Amino acid sequence: MARRRLRSSTVVLGGMGVLAMAITSCGSEPDKRCADPSDLTSLPSYECDDSSGTGSYYYGGRVNGATVEGGSFDKSAVDRGGFGCSGSGGG
């Protein structure tokens, strides 16, 4: 049976993809969006950036219509520990 040889560029590109995934997934910040803590309404980002704003950052999750869901106002509750990470979140 004849063995097929992989081209070196294919092997290198595959290895670079794995390396890129490991670097970007470990220690990256979770998605954040501004939301009203009382009713989970999605708000413009200036409502969280301004000290007089009514919003707080909501980490992870997604926007469903006009509200956020599936995440948390506690960043450490949704800290992503990707491929090769120990899972102990940083901040």
Side-chain angles (χ1 to χ4, degrees), residues 2-87:
R3 290 176 39 179
R4 184 176 168 189
R5 268 183 103 172
L6 292 176
R7 294 178 183 238
S8 61
S9 61
T10 303
V11 174
V12 169
L13 289 176
M16 293 297 284
V18 171
L19 178 62
M21 183 179 70
I23 290 171
T24 58
S25 65
C26 185
S28 62
E29 293 288 314
D31 292 337
K32 69 179 179 180
R33 55 197 44 86
C34 190
D36 186 334
S38 63
D39 62 3
L40 299 178
T41 302
S42 180
L43 299 172
S45 60
Y46 66 81
E47 290 288 347
C48 287
D49 294 336
D50 187 0
S51 62
S52 63
T54 60
S56 294
Y57 280 114
Y58 187 81
Y59 298 95
R62 62 188 172 279
V63 177
N64 184 9
T67 60
V68 294
E69 65 183 21
S72 175
F73 287 102
D74 180 10
K75 181 180 176 182
S76 64
V78 295
D79 196 15
R80 298 182 342 190
F83 177 77
C85 298
S86 66

